[in-house]
């Protein structure tokens, strides 16, 4: 799928915890397929800190897999994939951002980013405020069906116009935020990209996002209760 997208001039990006065993040939095939960006979710510089959020995760395996791809990228003198070390920041790892960044540099990643981590504390959804170094109420992108939807941005959601997410089952999501199966759209296994991208639901959602129609009933399921729409 990556190679086909590359041949069609479409950039592909993958976010992964990098915890599936990967042999050398597979790592090489990822580089040769033309993957544009690989975001590796690595939330700590030691196994103890890392597994606090990545339960049953293996830091050594994540780094080993990343290193294999970085190595093949260098051997093949390839420009891509752009390798990103992404650290979700929480109460238990915020003091170690510098150490994680140093680890990313040591392994040859192209980019390091530290983003606020979402968690549940005492039954409440919260996010870690990196600047203030404290938990704050989670600012959910979605509201419940009985809540009034207030758009939190003046701009149309960029996901609707320049990207889509393909799940492992072939079904499509308009962005990476929804996770419920009921939010999935058409399947790329039984539909062409054109049929999915230009489906009535996608078109209705784009019109609504641009303020060209006011009927929210026919927008994509994943977007119906999103405050970005």
């Amino acid at each position: 799928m990556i190679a086909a997208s590359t041949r069609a001039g479409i950039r592909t990006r993958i976010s992964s915890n990098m915890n599936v065993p990967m042999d050398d040939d597979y790592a090489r095939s990822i580089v040769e397929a033309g993957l544009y960006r690989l975001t590796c979710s690595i939330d700590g510089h030691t196994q103890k800190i890392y597994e606090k959020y990545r339960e049953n995760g293996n830091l050594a395996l994540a780094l080993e897999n990343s290193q294999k791809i970085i190595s093949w990228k260098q051997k093949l003198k390839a420009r891509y994939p752009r390798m990103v070390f992404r650290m979700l920041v929480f109460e238990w790892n915020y003091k170690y951002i510098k150490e994680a960044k140093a680890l990313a540099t040591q392994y040859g990643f192209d980019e390091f980013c530290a983003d606020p981590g979402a968690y549940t504390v005492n039954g409440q959804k919260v996010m870690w405020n990196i600047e203030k170094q404290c938990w704050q109420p989670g600012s959910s992108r979605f509201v419940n069906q009985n809540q009034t939807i207030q758009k939190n941005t003046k701009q149309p959601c960029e996901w609707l116009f320049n990207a889509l997410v393909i799940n492992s089952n072939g079904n499509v999501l308009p962005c990476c935020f929804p996770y419920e199966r009921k939010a999935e759209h058409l399947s790329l296994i039984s539909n062409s990209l054109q049929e999915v991208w230009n489906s009535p639901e996608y078109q209705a959602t784009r019109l609504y996002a641009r303020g060209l129609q006011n009927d929210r009933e026919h927008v994509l399921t994943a977007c119906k209760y999103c405050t970005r729409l």
Side-chain angles (χ1 to χ4, degrees):
M1 293 175 70
I2 294 170
S5 298
T6 301
R7 289 193 295 271
I10 299 172
R11 285 179 171 177
T12 50
R13 298 175 291 178
I14 289 178
S15 294
S16 173
N17 56 39
M18 303 299 286
N19 259 238
V20 176
M22 181 188 302
D23 62 28
D24 209 44
D25 289 340
Y26 189 79
R28 177 173 182 164
S29 71
I30 291 174
V31 177
E32 292 179 331
L35 180 66
Y36 172 70
R37 184 182 180 95
L38 178 56
T39 299
C40 306
S41 300
I42 305 174
D43 310 313
H45 70 297
T46 68
Q47 177 63 29
K48 184 177 180 180
I49 294 173
Y50 169 83
E51 67 184 10
K52 171 69 176 177
Y53 183 68
R54 302 285 164 183
E55 295 183 5
N56 301 316
N58 186 326
L59 174 61
L61 179 60
L63 292 172
E64 179 185 345
N65 286 336
S66 302
Q67 183 63 67
K68 287 179 180 178
I69 295 174
I70 291 170
S71 178
W72 272 113
K73 181 181 169 184
Q74 294 169 344
K75 290 177 183 177
L76 297 172
K77 297 181 180 180
R79 186 177 180 183
Y80 302 111
R82 184 162 181 81
M83 296 294 290
V84 181
F85 185 121
R86 186 187 188 216
M87 178 183 186
L88 293 182
V89 182
F90 302 94
E91 182 179 26
W92 54 84
N93 66 357
Y94 77 94
K95 294 181 180 180
Y96 304 106
I97 294 177
K98 288 184 179 179
E99 287 82 353
K101 187 174 183 179
L103 187 64
T105 301
Q106 175 188 335
Y107 275 82
F109 282 85
D110 298 301
E111 181 181 333
F112 172 84
C113 61
D115 296 321
Y119 205 60
T120 300
V121 176
N122 297 325
Q124 181 183 11
K125 292 182 178 180
V126 292
M127 295 191 72
W128 184 257
N129 187 311
I130 298 177
E131 183 178 347
K132 296 181 179 179
Q133 298 182 358
C134 66
W135 292 114
Q136 64 181 22
S139 54
S140 175
R141 188 180 175 119
F142 301 95
V143 300
N144 297 325
Q145 296 185 25
N146 56 354
Q147 289 180 276
T148 301
I149 302 173
Q150 294 182 336
K151 189 173 182 179
N152 62 14
T153 176
K154 294 181 180 180
Q155 300 297 324
C157 178
E158 66 279 3
W159 282 91
L160 293 169
F161 300 91
N162 65 21
L164 54 76
V165 173
I166 306 168
N167 283 343
S168 57
N169 60 6
N171 291 349
V172 167
L173 285 171
C175 73
C176 64
F177 293 93
Y179 56 88
E180 301 92 343
R181 288 298 184 195
K182 64 181 180 180
E184 291 180 334
H185 192 42
L186 298 173
S187 170
L188 280 173
I189 294 175
S190 53
N191 299 275
S192 69
L193 177 62
Q194 288 80 6
E195 289 172 333
V196 174
W197 187 247
N198 296 310
S199 66
E201 293 86 355
Y202 247 113
Q203 293 189 53
T205 308
R206 293 189 187 108
L207 288 171
Y208 189 97
R210 294 173 60 199
L212 299 178
Q213 64 101 341
N214 298 315
D215 184 7
R216 202 180 182 101
E217 184 63 30
H218 299 293
V219 302
L220 290 159
T221 301
C223 303
K224 191 162 289 187
Y225 301 103
C226 178
T227 58
R228 291 291 304 276
L229 185 63

